[in-house]
Amino acid sequence: MEVRAQFESHVLALLRQRPAVDLSSARELELLCQRQLDAENLPGWRTFWSLATHFFEGLRLAPGRRIEEPEASAASQVLSGLQLREQFNEHDKPIEDSLQVINHLLFLEQADIISQRLVNILNDWSESPEGDLPTEAQVDVQSMAQLAEDVQLIAVQQVADSLAVQLARLRAKRVADDIKTSLSGAQEVSRLLQHFAVGSVREAQPQVLAALRGE
């Protein structure tokens, strides 16, 4: 009960400050989730705690982050998962099903935010390529790769990892066609997420991966 009270206290403090992010509460929630992850042995629950840790870390680290409805919903999903964990035993099928739903929603609520922001950033950059690549693009694509790894969504992870490498190359040598390739990579992530949201796991388009890898 003490752990649950800590979670509820910090989530409440976080939501009270919205749309601004209470960095102190976000950090405390990140640490609480990390401790639960370190102590967890069951795969589904390790996925949950990893997704929750990344969520609060993203609130704390991403520049200009705000708590809008999707972020507030994700925070509520974390509390729902915590309550389920307190009731869980390994033979409780309904709770396992509920955990899968929570993990699905917690992943998508984070991934959709990151994906949309990444597409917008790279679209703006493709229209004004004389400016520097915003640093949050690199942060976002790395976060996307982490989230995809959490839920073993291999196609999204492949595209995100390839996009991260390609963006690093672009920092050293800016080429207009490569900027457009980056935007195509971000759009491919969005496409894959849209299919995943309705229960369809698709493979990444080979031509997109090849372009990102410079093949």
Side-chain angles (χ1 to χ4, degrees):
M1 184 60 72
E2 181 182 352
V3 171
R4 181 173 170 182
Q6 291 178 43
F7 268 95
E8 290 176 344
S9 173
H10 290 301
V11 168
L12 182 59
L14 198 67
L15 296 180
R16 279 176 175 165
Q17 295 295 321
R18 60 180 171 175
V21 175
D22 182 337
L23 295 178
S24 175
S25 293
R27 177 58 174 162
E28 288 300 321
L29 286 162
E30 178 189 349
L31 291 173
L32 282 168
C33 290
Q34 184 63 57
R35 284 198 288 270
Q36 297 299 311
L37 174 60
D38 291 342
E40 186 61 74
N41 295 317
L42 299 174
W45 289 105
R46 285 190 59 81
T47 296
F48 169 74
W49 290 118
S50 185
L51 287 168
T53 301
H54 289 147
F55 169 63
F56 292 117
E57 180 185 33
L59 283 183
R60 181 174 62 86
L61 293 180
R65 282 297 296 272
R66 293 162 60 87
I67 297 183
E68 308 291 356
E69 280 305 314
E71 289 85 356
S73 176
S76 296
Q77 293 295 338
V78 173
L79 288 183
S80 296
L82 174 63
Q83 291 167 5
L84 275 181
R85 188 65 183 94
E86 292 177 340
Q87 305 165 23
F88 181 78
N89 68 68
E90 294 187 43
H91 306 292
D92 197 332
K93 183 64 176 174
I95 285 184
E96 284 187 358
D97 293 342
S98 296
L99 174 62
Q100 289 182 3
V101 171
I102 286 175
N103 284 348
H104 185 86
L105 292 175
L106 188 53
F107 167 74
L108 282 176
E109 282 164 346
Q110 295 182 72
D112 284 345
I113 293 167
I114 293 171
S115 173
Q116 291 171 19
R117 186 169 59 233
L118 191 56
V119 168
N120 290 336
I121 289 170
L122 293 177
N123 185 58
D124 290 345
W125 195 42
S126 70
E127 294 177 353
S128 303
E130 64 278 0
D132 291 333
L133 171 67
T135 56
E136 55 263 39
Q138 197 76 43
V139 172
D140 278 343
V141 75
Q142 289 168 350
S143 296
M144 181 62 72
Q146 286 180 330
L147 291 172
E149 182 179 6
D150 282 343
V151 297
Q152 298 181 340
L153 195 53
I154 294 171
V156 171
Q157 186 180 356
Q158 286 177 329
V159 176
D161 283 339
S162 299
L163 179 55
V165 173
Q166 203 249 3
L167 290 178
R169 288 200 307 266
L170 273 174
R171 284 186 175 278
K173 185 179 180 181
R174 194 176 311 161
V175 179
D177 284 346
D178 287 344
I179 295 173
K180 293 178 181 177
T181 297
S182 297
L183 177 58
S184 295
Q187 291 169 335
E188 177 67 357
V189 168
S190 292
R191 183 188 74 86
L192 292 167
L193 290 175
Q194 287 169 7
H195 285 294
F196 180 72
V198 296
S200 176
V201 177
R202 300 291 181 91
E203 292 185 358
Q205 297 181 86
Q207 67 271 26
V208 174
L209 278 176
L212 289 172
R213 294 166 177 171
E215 298 173 353

